[in-house]
Amino acid sequence: MIHRGNLLYRVRLPPTHKDFPHPSLLHSICAIAATHTAWVNSIPPEKVEETTKRAISCGQNLEEIEDFGLAQAFAARRAMDQSATCCAMGSGQTMFGLVQAAVRPPILSE
């Protein structure tokens, strides 16, 4: 669960600030929000697996896939993997941000 007030405060900080939200969390929020808007490309759920397999077989970067939500989900996974690889034990806040992004879709609370 994500506290809405804290998120809104932290997202206004400069991206270089230590309290700015982890990129994986922001990508995860975009991936979930994409399912609730008509402003982005979305592939029907029954074609997600086929589209993903086709993109992988063509050597396409999965962050450039035609579905915005999928692209954001892959970007979130890359950001989490990159952070975990670079520093297995980062700061407590970094690790908490990774867990928020990885555990189920983010849910905003008041």
Side-chain angles (χ1 to χ4, degrees), residues 8-88:
L8 292 175
Y9 167 76
R10 291 177 57 202
V11 84
R12 288 185 186 114
L13 297 171
T16 54
H17 194 281
K18 68 178 184 71
D19 290 334
F20 190 78
H22 195 272
S24 62
L25 178 61
L26 299 177
H27 285 300
S28 295
I29 291 170
C30 289
I32 296 305
T35 62
H36 301 286
T37 182
W39 284 84
V40 296
N41 294 334
S42 292
I43 356 182
E46 64 274 4
K47 294 192 177 195
V48 167
E49 186 175 348
E50 172 192 331
T51 304
T52 304
K53 286 180 180 179
R54 187 176 63 239
I56 291 170
S57 68
C58 294
Q60 182 181 6
N61 179 348
L62 293 177
E63 291 176 41
E64 297 171 5
I65 202 163
E66 58 204 58
D67 184 273
F68 179 77
L70 278 178
Q72 290 300 303
F74 287 119
R77 172 56 60 193
R78 179 194 41 80
M80 285 187 286
D81 291 345
Q82 188 176 32
S83 289
T85 301
C86 290
C87 54

Side-chain angles (χ1 to χ4, degrees), residues 84-103:
T85 301
C86 290
C87 54
M89 293 304 288
S91 70
Q93 187 143 344
T94 299
M95 298 309 282
F96 185 65
L98 290 173
V99 169
Q100 284 179 314
V103 177

